[in-house]
Amino acid sequence: MGLLILMALNCFCVMFLNKKDQTVAVVNCFGMWSAFSLMYWGGSGVSRESLSELFCVDIYSSSMISLSLWICGISILVSSCMINLRGVFNTYLVLVTLLCFLLVQCFMVNTLAMFYVLFESTLIPLASIIGIWGGQIERVPSIQYMAAYTVGGSFPLLLIFTTMEVHAGSSFMWFISMKTSLNWLFWGGCFLGFLIKLPAFPFHSWLPKAHVQAPVGGSVILAGILLKLGGYGITRMMMLFSYTLESFGILVMSFSIVGSVYGAFMCLRQSDIKKLIAYSSVSHMAFSIMGLFSCTEVGMVGAYIMLVSHGFISPGLFVLSGINSEMVHSRKIKVMSDGVRAAPSLGFFWLVMIMANLGVPPCPVIISEVLSVVCVIALYPWVFVLLLMYFILSGAYSFSLYCQLTRTKKKIKMKVFFNEVTLKDMSALYFLFYPLAEVLFKWDLWAMM
């Protein structure tokens, strides 16, 4: 509760600053809020700690809160460096701060009805960001496509919560009784909206469209935190209704395994850098789904390592793609190589982020992948064949991406609009490295014991 009060007071004070200082003040506020949110990491572990009648936290919600604050601050920082961000920048600050405020409340509320309202409300600021600062004329159809998927998929969840309010008289999370006998229809209604949000294969097609049309700051927020709402929602539903491994979960895991291979294969075929990063997100989120639906402690730890670490790695890739595409005014990978040759430091950062995305040790992604693979192979050993295909394809598209970005061309003049990348342009990347190190050294935070 203190965090929400602090956020409201800071936003009120920033309103009285002049326009030149507002960006710096807002970024500093997000940094202070992130540091304040880390206080909850050493709290009561997986048990819920009540903050008031409306809010309570545990390690799952507190880690998502810290991720939300950090990523929204990075979004504002990187957008302030973009020269093609049209319109009034103060409007962007307001929308991102509003979105962050909704996310923090969504991760703290203890009633299912309020959780659903906040879950759907996050779509409004994101759609506004894409609609105002989107890059192409197709941004409006992409918003409609995204809204149809997310709102339509979560409609059965609304029916479940409404039924609980009518028959039980409350949707308070911790007054819900243990399950007795729940069928496929119930689990499908509970999990469908969250699986679309992650997104899970085959409900992923809205994500590349949204990323292509979104500005860099919007892609950072979408990949960094909004996708993680799906994983957090699945965790809460499993805890509340005492979900155990059933045929529904086995079906979801099977689709996720296929989706990881499909996403890696699609990455090999992409020439647009944003689509490539979007499909790599589909592959990585498949491991989170496998870990969650394995219904084991090891799987839960692996799923949250992937959710949090991907929440920092994927925004880093979008930050790099935004800086690089501004230099050449194109998102085509082969054209972006001119920008890397004009600013060699970009090549180093591309190498670091591609290795982190691939899961090269000691990056925390490898820990998540190993834990999730162990859980799945313990159930079905033959799945190792498909997972091996994923690892081969993942290495192939990562190696191909780096080679295309750093390739050399002879006797062709480089078409670069500016050839100097300053410290301010790269500052957003520097702030992403520290939380990745935190995840690496505290990867057992989400363990039950």
Side-chain angles (χ1 to χ4, degrees), residues 347-420:
F348 170 75
F349 282 107
W350 271 117
L351 177 62
V352 171
M353 296 310 299
I354 289 174
M355 290 174 63
N357 189 59
L358 179 60
V360 175
C363 299
V365 171
I366 188 64
I367 302 175
S368 171
E369 290 177 344
V370 169
L371 295 179
S372 299
V373 167
V374 167
C375 293
V376 177
I377 291 179
L379 295 173
Y380 301 104
W382 57 268
V383 170
F384 182 74
V385 177
L386 291 174
L387 294 175
L388 182 62
M389 290 178 58
Y390 161 76
F391 288 121
I392 294 173
L393 291 173
S394 179
Y397 80 72
S398 299
F399 182 73
S400 173
L401 173 61
Y402 184 72
C403 289
Q404 290 182 73
L405 287 171
T406 57
R407 69 191 181 96
T408 58
K409 294 187 292 185
K410 297 181 180 179
K411 298 181 181 180
I412 298 179
K413 185 178 180 180
M414 292 185 296
K415 298 178 181 179
V416 181
F417 290 88
F418 62 95
N419 58 3
E420 183 179 357

Side-chain angles (χ1 to χ4, degrees), residues 33-112:
W33 299 338
S34 302
F36 185 82
S37 68
L38 292 175
M39 294 170 56
Y40 297 121
W41 284 51
S44 54
V46 297
S47 61
R48 298 284 279 185
E49 179 180 346
S50 179
L51 303 178
S52 70
E53 294 180 357
L54 297 176
F55 304 108
C56 50
V57 296
D58 59 4
I59 189 57
Y60 303 114
S61 57
S62 59
S63 57
M64 291 293 107
I65 290 169
S66 298
L67 180 63
S68 302
L69 296 169
W70 207 287
I71 293 304
C72 289
I74 294 296
S75 172
I76 292 176
L77 188 60
V78 70
S79 298
S80 66
C81 305
M82 298 290 110
I83 60 176
N84 62 355
L85 193 69
R86 61 182 179 271
V88 181
F89 188 68
N90 284 358
T91 307
Y92 184 82
L93 294 180
V94 171
L95 287 173
V96 173
T97 307
L98 174 62
L99 177 57
C100 184
F101 198 74
L102 293 173
L103 285 168
V104 171
Q105 291 185 82
C106 187
F107 292 127
M108 294 176 69
V109 292
N110 52 22
T111 59
L112 294 177

Side-chain angles (χ1 to χ4, degrees), residues 279-292:
Y279 278 110
S280 72
S281 296
V282 175
S283 289
H284 284 110
M285 289 301 98
F287 283 90
S288 296
I289 297 170
M290 285 185 258
L292 290 172

Side-chain angles (χ1 to χ4, degrees), residues 119-120 145-156 188-208 222 226-231 234 252 282 285 289 293:
F119 177 79
E120 295 296 346
Y145 199 69
M146 177 179 65
Y149 257 86
T150 55
V151 177
S154 59
F155 183 73
C190 280
F191 294 132
L192 181 61
F194 299 125
L195 289 172
I196 291 174
K197 195 75 171 182
L198 266 168
F201 178 84
F203 309 111
H204 66 281
S205 56
W206 66 270
L207 184 64
L222 178 58
L226 288 182
L227 302 187
K228 312 309 179 287
L229 269 173
I234 290 173
V252 173
V282 175
M285 289 301 98
I289 297 170
F293 279 91

Side-chain angles (χ1 to χ4, degrees), residues 254-265:
S254 302
F255 274 111
S256 299
I257 294 168
V258 175
S260 65
V261 179
Y262 170 81
F265 177 73

